[in-house]
Amino acid sequence: MRTNENYVLREIDEESILIPIGEASEHLNGMIHLTPTAAFIWKEVDNSNSLEEIIQKLMEKYEVTEEIAKRDVYGFLTELYKRNMVLEIPELKDNVETLEK
């Protein structure tokens, strides 16, 4: 599980922004502004071993229920996975293939 190295997270004036570089900049002209929760999830992709671990960390940090944490993690990362912004997440591969059918 990892983020695509063609996207760099930058913190600018307390805002989290994903900036496409390299090949990604050819497909996306601009920046992606992230909410604090989305930025937290993005960072945890490279620091966690599973989506369940990210869900647990999100529950602890934001004091939300497991249902809300799962919805946020799966929802956000599914969209990124479909766009190749996050890679090698087996739990999402089957989920995305099912959605695309």
Side-chain angles (χ1 to χ4, degrees):
M1 180 163 69
R2 64 185 172 91
T3 58
N4 184 329
E5 66 271 357
N6 286 310
Y7 294 90
V8 178
L9 180 67
R10 293 287 183 247
E11 307 281 336
I12 302 170
D13 288 333
E14 298 182 26
E15 275 193 78
S16 297
I17 300 170
L18 274 181
I19 302 169
I21 60 172
E23 288 181 23
S25 65
E26 295 172 15
H27 305 289
L28 178 63
N29 186 14
M31 299 178 283
I32 301 167
H33 295 267
L34 300 180
T35 66
T37 303
F40 178 83
I41 294 169
W42 175 268
K43 291 173 190 173
E44 288 303 320
V45 168
D46 289 325
N47 296 319
S48 300
N49 295 314
S50 68
L51 294 184
E52 189 58 40
E53 187 178 337
I54 296 173
I55 290 165
Q56 291 301 316
K57 290 177 180 179
L58 190 67
M59 289 169 54
E60 291 171 18
K61 178 162 179 71
Y62 291 100
E63 298 180 0
V64 296
T65 65
E66 183 176 7
E67 179 182 342
I68 291 170
K70 275 186 178 179
R71 181 196 65 205
D72 289 352
V73 169
Y74 275 88
F76 179 59
L77 291 181
T78 296
E79 290 304 314
L80 297 182
Y81 188 83
K82 288 193 281 189
R83 291 164 177 76
N84 271 346
M85 295 173 74
V86 292
L87 310 167
E88 301 171 15
I89 303 179
E91 299 102 321
L92 292 181
K93 183 178 183 217
D94 295 335
N95 194 25
V96 169
E97 288 174 356
T98 301
L99 290 172
E100 291 177 347
K101 289 181 181 177

